[in-house]
Amino acid sequence: MKSMDKKKNILFILHLPPPVHGSSLVGQTIRQSKVINSSFECRYINTLVSRSVNETGKKSFIKVFRFVAVWFQLLVEIIKKKPDICYLALTATGAAFYNDVLLVGLLKLFNIKRIYHLHNKGVALSASNKINKLLYQFVFKNAEVILLSNYLYNDIESFVPSTRVHICPNGIEDTVTVQKPRLKEKEKSVKILFLSNLIESKGVLVLLKACEIISQKGIDFECDFVGAEGDLSAKQFNEKVSQMQLTSKVNYLGKKFGNEKQNAFATADIFAFPTYYSNECFPLVLLEAMCNGLPVISTFEGGIPDIVEQGVTGFLISQKDENSLADKLEELIRNQELRQKMGSNGRKKFETEFKQEIFEKRMIGIIQKTCIN
């Protein structure tokens, strides 16, 4: 009888919450995945030194201590455990990138295979700086790269050949056990949902302007904004709503988590996310909307065209185009059958492409392939 092959030793270097963003949520998924952890000998290091939301952005002695502890732990893992592969949730730009350059330098010193998971972009733009260009050449040389979408490859194509790129769309847990048809009583308004922080580049004001346009046409609707304050405060947002005479139609509900967040999806009919955020790659909130059977209106940004199928699961519009957004909102508000059909198509696409178990299988396949190469 042949002995079982020894499991590959994988070191995962993650950025875990806070803050809560795509990279940290995917990191949590990997760390908690029974399938991934049973497929490999997995070890984990969390490089974030902030362990609560209140600590984020603040200097403290304890954070310096944690930084030193992380590097000590990393040295122990590399020297004593000798991982076959190191998975790194690489930060592509900004101050955190330079920290990751040091990490990569250490891994290269010990000749450890590297696979980077990119949840952000901006490499092509940042590489216009000669120093950054040299650093990218150093970091990406001989490394494998996981991208969330084929649409994101042009950001790194100057540094990574396509043969070393793997596409792995994010996946989320299916939180909806029973799909109910979204049939509205005649006296009830169609409800639009926006879920993100109040950040202007996420399309907050674009959606407000679109709401103003359809309201002036006498179209009945409601629009709920869910999320934390961002570069727009709740006061500024509500002042805009008042100026546009939308106080009877638009509501800012603040942050919602757990059952309250799920209820926001369950009571909505349309999901609108007209983002033009420059670092938008693969927003998980769109997967949540599709999981809940909502038709989606979003923009041609990052990997979004791989999520929203034009005219099938929703609509894609140009960025900062409130008139096109208003037209698509009006079309969906007036056509219940179309809303239901697109929402159903979105749910099917979620089930076949974006469920968490599909993500886990893809990730296992990519790591196994990297181990062989």
Side-chain angles (χ1 to χ4, degrees):
M1 181 182 291
K2 290 184 178 180
S3 60
M4 293 182 65
D5 291 338
K6 184 180 178 182
K7 291 181 179 179
K8 294 296 183 180
N9 181 356
I10 315 298
L11 175 62
F12 289 90
I13 301 178
L14 305 173
H15 305 298
L16 295 177
V20 176
H21 49 70
S23 176
S24 60
L25 290 172
V26 172
Q28 279 186 319
T29 296
I30 292 173
R31 190 166 189 170
Q32 295 169 1
S33 170
K34 293 180 181 179
V35 177
I36 293 175
N37 283 276
S38 64
S39 299
F40 309 102
E41 185 68 36
C42 300
R43 290 181 170 81
Y44 297 92
I45 293 179
N46 178 14
T47 61
L48 288 187
V49 294
S50 296
R51 302 298 164 85
S52 70
V53 174
N54 291 334
E55 287 184 343
T56 303
K58 297 179 181 178
K59 297 179 180 179
S60 68
F61 174 77
I62 190 65
K63 290 172 74 172
V64 174
F65 175 79
R66 288 173 187 158
F67 177 82
V68 174
V70 164
W71 277 88
F72 178 77
Q73 183 187 3
L74 185 62
L75 282 169
V76 171
E77 289 288 345
I78 291 174
I79 297 172
K80 294 190 69 174
K81 305 299 182 180
K82 297 179 180 177
D84 296 296
I85 293 178
C86 179
Y87 165 107
L88 172 61
L90 184 75
T91 305
T93 59
F97 168 68
Y98 302 110
N99 182 65
D100 284 352
V101 170
L102 296 176
L103 287 172
V104 170
L106 185 62
L107 296 172
K108 293 181 77 169
L109 180 65
F110 288 90
N111 199 30
I112 295 173
K113 278 188 177 181
R114 293 155 290 123
I115 185 165
Y116 306 141
H117 201 167
L118 295 184
H119 298 270
N120 44 39
K121 55 190 174 79
V123 171
L125 181 62
S126 185
S128 60
N129 178 291
K130 291 182 179 180
I131 294 176
N132 286 341
K133 183 177 181 180
L134 290 172
L135 291 176
Y136 286 131
Q137 290 171 343
F138 170 78
V139 166
F140 285 115
K141 186 177 181 180
N142 298 326
E144 303 286 316
V145 177
I146 301 172
L147 295 178
L148 308 178
S149 164
N150 277 307
Y151 287 97
L152 300 169
Y153 178 60
N154 63 345
D155 191 46
I156 62 167
E157 63 181 337
S158 297
F159 305 100
V160 186
S162 59
T163 53
R164 289 197 278 109
V165 172
H166 312 270
I167 305 301
C168 185
N170 284 336
I172 61 171
E173 184 181 359
D174 188 353
T175 56
V176 180
T177 54
V178 179
Q179 286 292 312
K180 297 180 180 179
R182 296 177 180 277
L183 300 175
K184 279 287 179 182
E185 298 174 17
K186 290 183 178 180
E187 66 271 16
K188 288 187 178 180
S189 301
V190 170
K191 182 174 286 188
I192 305 162
L193 175 64
F194 171 93
L195 199 154
S196 184
N197 293 342
L198 292 184
I199 298 173
E200 188 170 345
S201 60
K202 292 287 185 174
V204 174
L205 298 183
V206 176
L207 180 53
L208 277 182
K209 183 62 179 177
C211 287
E212 181 184 39
I213 292 170
I214 59 176
S215 177
Q216 290 173 348
K217 291 184 177 183
I219 298 170
D220 189 25
F221 69 94
E222 294 178 58
C223 186
D224 288 345
F225 285 76
V226 174
E229 294 177 288
D231 53 17
L232 290 170
S233 67
K235 181 181 178 182
Q236 290 172 318
F237 176 86
N238 287 323
E239 285 175 351
K240 290 281 185 182
V241 171
S242 179
Q243 291 169 8
M244 294 179 175
Q245 298 181 336
L246 293 171
T247 51
S248 64
K249 296 181 179 296
V250 173
N251 306 292
Y252 172 58
L253 304 180
K255 294 183 286 187
K256 299 290 181 185
F257 301 100
N259 291 334
E260 287 188 332
K261 179 182 176 182
Q262 185 57 40
N263 186 60
F265 281 114
T267 57
D269 301 287
I270 302 167
F271 191 80
F273 189 65
T275 180
Y276 55 94
Y277 176 52
S278 61
N279 204 24
E280 202 77 77
C281 286
F282 207 85
L284 295 178
V285 69
L286 299 185
L287 306 189
E288 292 180 286
M290 291 166 68
C291 174
N292 283 273
L294 293 176
V296 173
I297 306 176
S298 194
T299 57
F300 295 94
E301 180 61 62
I304 292 176
D306 265 344
I307 304 174
V308 181
E309 194 171 346
Q310 183 73 291
V312 179
T313 65
F315 296 112
L316 292 172
I317 60 170
S318 300
Q319 296 176 10
K320 303 181 184 181
D321 189 347
E322 62 264 20
N323 291 305
S324 290
L325 178 56
D327 289 343
K328 297 306 180 186
L329 286 172
E330 180 178 354
E331 184 175 352
L332 287 173
I333 290 170
R334 293 188 184 278
N335 193 333
Q336 177 181 283
E337 184 179 348
L338 181 62
R339 291 199 310 271
Q340 196 168 349
K341 182 179 179 181
M342 285 186 164
S344 177
N345 289 340
R347 172 66 194 186
K348 290 174 184 175
K349 187 176 178 73
F350 168 78
E351 290 175 346
T352 56
E353 297 184 33
F354 303 129
K355 290 183 77 169
Q356 184 171 302
E357 51 262 42
I358 297 172
F359 164 80
E360 291 170 329
K361 289 179 182 177
R362 285 175 177 148
M363 185 61 62
I364 290 170
I366 291 170
I367 293 174
Q368 287 175 336
K369 183 178 180 181
T370 304
C371 288
I372 294 170
N373 291 341

